[in-house]
Amino acid sequence: MILMQGKGVSAGVVSGPLYFFRRSQSEVTRYTVKDTEAERARFSRAQEQSVSQLKMLAEQCRAESGDDAAMLFDTHAMFVEDEDYVDSVLTTLEEEHCNAEYAVQQAGEQFAAMFAAMDDAYMQAREADIRDVTRRILNNLTGNVDGGIDSDVPVILAADDLAPSETLQLDKSKILGFITQKGSGNSHTAILARTLGIPAICGLGDALKASYEGRTAYIDGESGKVCLEADALTLQSFQSKQRGQQQQKELMETMKGQEDVTLDGRKIRLYCNIGSPEDVTAVLANDARGIGLFRSEFLYLAASDYPSEEEQFEAYKSVAAAMKEQPVIIRTLDIGADKQVDYFHLQKEENPAMGVRAIRISLNRPEVFRTQLRAIYRASAYGRVAIMFPMITSVWEVKECRRACKSVMLELSKEGIPYNPETEIGIMIETPASVFMAPELAKQVDFFSVGTNDLTQYTLACDRQCNDLGKFYDPHHPAVLRALKMAADAAHEAGIWIGICGELAADLSMLPTFLAIGIDELSVSPAAVLPLRAAIRKSTAGECTLKMLED
């Protein structure tokens, strides 16, 4: 028996024969050319061919998995035509009088190395995208076609790494799951695997050997465990988990249409967090009763320039209309810290988590704020929209936000543009300051929503981006839970509701504590809705205690 440990990036337990991905390899040889213009023309044709292929892949992916997954290939198409990337290729052609294949390979290596050297994990994961794009252009220059699976039975696909385009083009009827030596949970491949529902494990390193081909393997995409030729006890464990997952899936289906209410009648609002309009499909499929956090910053992060009022309006309107009369809480722009947008030209900060971010950017840039508020208020005519302001620490900030809202409503009224003047306004509780000021803040707004990720970071003085802090970053810490209780008490004293939209909301072990604290709403990822509903329906709110606040 052989055991390997990697990082689980897409849940599920499957078993089957290992099959190593066949990728055509074209060794690039440098040679001198006399006709540089002819090489430029060859490169240009390969570019056009690559963009055309990627657009076709995007459409295929959009049909199979939605716009989120298709965006991967739209991004690759942009890489192919990226000005800096293209300039690098053309400069090498001109200066070295070399063949196009060599110039493309050099540019690919240069940009891949640049992304790999970045501090941000998301940007590091773009290295694989650059290599995928470069390989596609090289294949179109040489006429090579990447291989795939030559097997009559479904397999667990193994590889050094898998590019998104490779994953999509595989015959999924033959794929049970995949495991890779490299990769990370932030890679587009991992995202795509989760979207497609394919169990996946990455980061197995040299433990994953090509000599294992054909051997029977069990993989657990949740724990990251891989087992080859399991002994009886290990086999029993994997099979038991497989059965449990299937039973859990069937049980969760019975939760659809059920009320989110405890055994003693306490109702909980069970909403979803989303990052784009395309996520609404998953919200509805998992029977959530609203959207508790629409991260509007995705519009800014995905754009090369400030998104217009019309672009934002169409995005917000589509979500509001799709959710009909169910609430849609749109959080205003929340960038800065770990979410940087180049065209905002934010100054480099020694401690960005404490710097110019979220509502501070909006209040410092009133025109950007005004554009977003106009788009949100216009969308409020098409559904039950609410506005939520992030990173609030003071009453004056809320008053400034309300002043901006009032100004926008007056503008829209003068222009004869419909909107809902009763649109609710809430704030995120993310800092000790907002907790201490909660009694005063609660008088200014219609609801609170606790961002437990940042509240934990600021309460415990632990950088949430620092992996080395480990057990020190603890959202279960009594200080965090006491802060949550203080905010809840202040909200209820003022007659408003309070929810949680941070990752802690989906922690089933915390549900009794949330019920004891008096939390009214939980906003989680779509996949977490039905398990949480099942747990709520088994709970008795009156029997829950605040014991965790005392440990």
Side-chain angles (χ1 to χ4, degrees):
M1 184 175 72
I2 300 170
L3 288 173
M4 291 178 274
Q5 181 67 54
K7 180 177 177 57
V9 295
S10 185
V13 176
V14 292
S15 63
L18 273 187
Y19 183 94
F20 277 75
F21 183 62
R22 268 68 171 170
R23 182 182 294 120
S24 59
Q25 296 293 337
S26 54
E27 186 175 336
V28 174
T29 302
R30 182 196 182 284
Y31 55 87
T32 302
V33 298
K34 293 181 180 179
D35 192 349
T36 301
E37 282 304 311
E39 292 304 298
R40 287 174 64 104
R42 287 183 64 225
F43 170 62
S44 181
R45 285 194 298 271
Q47 257 190 304
E48 292 174 6
Q49 192 175 353
S50 298
V51 170
S52 176
Q53 291 167 348
L54 288 162
K55 286 182 177 177
M56 288 178 63
L57 282 170
E59 289 308 310
Q60 177 189 342
C61 200
R62 191 169 282 113
E64 291 183 7
S65 309
D67 285 347
D68 267 3
M71 193 180 296
L72 309 180
F73 300 101
D74 291 331
T75 302
H76 277 205
M78 287 190 289
F79 271 140
V80 173
E81 298 182 305
D82 179 78
E83 186 176 338
D84 291 334
Y85 183 86
V86 173
D87 282 348
S88 178
V89 173
L90 297 181
T91 298
T92 302
L93 285 175
E94 293 290 339
E95 292 181 353
E96 300 196 26
H97 300 284
C98 63
N99 52 313
E101 291 88 344
Y102 178 77
V104 168
Q105 185 189 57
Q106 291 299 105
E109 290 297 327
Q110 174 190 337
F111 279 79
M114 179 181 72
F115 278 105
M118 292 183 178
D119 291 333
D120 182 76
Y122 178 85
M123 298 307 292
Q124 287 173 351
R126 304 289 71 76
E127 175 193 1
D129 297 318
I130 287 290
R131 294 192 183 280
D132 191 28
V133 165
T134 299
R135 183 168 56 248
R136 179 175 296 280
I137 298 173
L138 285 173
N139 282 343
N140 286 324
L141 280 168
T142 61
N144 285 339
V145 178
D146 274 347
I149 302 171
D150 181 17
S151 173
D152 295 328
V153 297
V155 298
I156 294 173
L157 191 64
D160 57 345
D161 201 357
L162 282 171
S165 58
E166 292 171 336
T167 307
L168 182 70
Q169 293 176 84
L170 294 167
D171 181 353
K172 285 178 283 296
S173 68
K174 292 184 177 180
I175 303 292
L176 299 168
F178 69 76
I179 56 177
T180 62
Q181 293 174 324
K182 303 175 186 176
S184 73
N186 290 314
S187 70
H188 278 325
T189 306
I191 295 168
L192 188 58
R194 291 190 288 267
T195 303
L196 296 174
I198 299 174
I201 298 171
C202 69
L204 289 163
D206 294 338
L208 178 58
K209 304 180 189 301
S211 59
Y212 294 157
E213 172 138 2
R215 298 195 189 187
T216 298
Y218 271 82
I219 70 171
D220 183 349
E222 181 179 14
S223 68
K225 287 182 168 55
V226 178
C227 181
L228 273 63
E229 300 172 351
D231 60 25
L233 189 60
T234 306
L235 183 63
Q236 185 180 10
S237 175
F238 271 103
Q239 291 177 338
S240 175
K241 188 163 186 179
Q242 272 184 310
R243 288 192 297 271
Q245 286 184 346
Q246 183 57 35
Q247 291 169 358
Q248 182 71 1
K249 184 178 179 181
E250 292 169 0
L251 174 62
M252 289 307 103
E253 286 296 312
T254 69
M255 288 294 106
K256 290 183 178 179
Q258 302 291 333
E259 275 194 290
D260 301 314
V261 60
T262 63
L263 292 171
D264 54 348
R266 169 84 181 280
K267 291 188 177 181
I268 303 292
R269 306 180 192 198
L270 192 47
Y271 297 162
C272 275
N273 301 332
I274 67 169
S276 73
E278 290 73 31
D279 293 341
V280 173
T281 301
V283 173
L284 297 174
N286 286 278
D287 197 36
R289 304 294 154 75
I291 292 171
L293 172 62
F294 182 174
R295 300 181 180 94
S296 69
E297 57 269 17
F298 91 94
L299 284 169
Y300 297 82
L301 291 164
S304 58
D305 201 354
Y306 296 96
S308 67
E309 177 184 325
E310 204 61 31
E311 289 171 328
Q312 294 189 61
F313 164 64
E314 288 298 333
Y316 305 146
K317 173 188 171 184
S318 68
V319 174
M323 295 301 295
K324 298 179 180 177
E325 291 306 309
Q326 294 176 322
V328 176
I329 300 174
I330 302 174
R331 180 175 68 188
T332 59
L333 178 64
D334 187 9
I335 62 168
D338 58 317
K339 290 177 282 190
Q340 295 292 321
V341 179
D342 289 343
Y343 56 84
F344 271 76
H345 302 294
L346 299 174
Q347 301 245 346
K348 185 171 177 59
E349 298 171 315
E350 288 297 322
N351 194 347
M354 303 273 190
V356 181
R357 57 172 299 195
I359 200 63
R360 298 169 182 177
I361 293 175
S362 296
L363 293 177
N364 282 346
R365 304 193 185 194
E367 278 308 304
V368 173
F369 196 26
R370 172 179 168 272
T371 297
Q372 181 169 37
L373 289 176
R374 281 181 60 93
I376 296 174
Y377 270 107
R378 287 174 59 193
S380 71
Y382 297 87
R384 192 177 158 194
V385 169
I387 303 173
M388 182 161 68
F389 301 116
M391 197 67 182
I392 293 294
T393 61
S394 306
V395 170
W396 74 263
E397 292 169 333
V398 180
K399 289 183 176 178
E400 284 298 309
C401 291
R402 279 198 168 277
R403 189 173 292 116
C405 290
K406 185 176 181 180
S407 175
V408 162
M409 286 191 286
L410 287 172
E411 284 180 9
L412 295 176
S413 294
K414 288 179 182 178
E415 296 168 23
I417 297 175
Y419 68 93
N420 177 14
E422 303 300 320
T423 297
E424 289 193 341
I425 290 176
I427 62 170
M428 292 195 69
I429 301 295
E430 302 175 273
T431 66
S434 60
V435 172
F436 296 141
M437 294 299 296
E440 288 76 17
L441 291 169
K443 296 172 185 175
Q444 304 291 324
V445 296
D446 300 302
F447 63 90
F448 285 166
S449 186
V450 182
T452 51
N453 302 342
D454 269 333
L455 183 60
T456 301
Q457 168 174 252
Y458 294 124
T459 301
L460 302 182
C462 277
D463 184 350
R464 56 187 282 200
Q465 301 300 318
C466 180
N467 293 330
D468 293 338
L469 285 171
K471 62 185 178 182
F472 297 103
Y473 180 87
D474 177 18
H476 301 122
H477 194 292
V480 177
L481 302 181
R482 290 179 191 180
L484 192 57
K485 177 70 162 58
M486 289 171 65
D489 289 345
H492 295 147
E493 181 67 26
I496 67 172
W497 62 268
I498 181 170
I500 300 175
C501 61
E503 289 182 18
L504 193 63
D507 186 339
L508 297 179
S509 71
M510 290 300 301
L511 180 60
T513 299
F514 295 154
L515 291 172
I517 287 174
I519 297 301
D520 304 296
E521 177 252 14
L522 295 169
S523 191
V524 297
S525 67
V529 169
L530 297 178
L532 191 51
R533 176 172 296 157
I536 289 170
R537 293 177 60 81
K538 291 178 182 176
S539 301
T540 302
E543 295 177 359
C544 296
T545 71
L546 297 173
K547 184 178 183 302
M548 288 192 73
L549 279 66
E550 302 164 1
D551 291 345

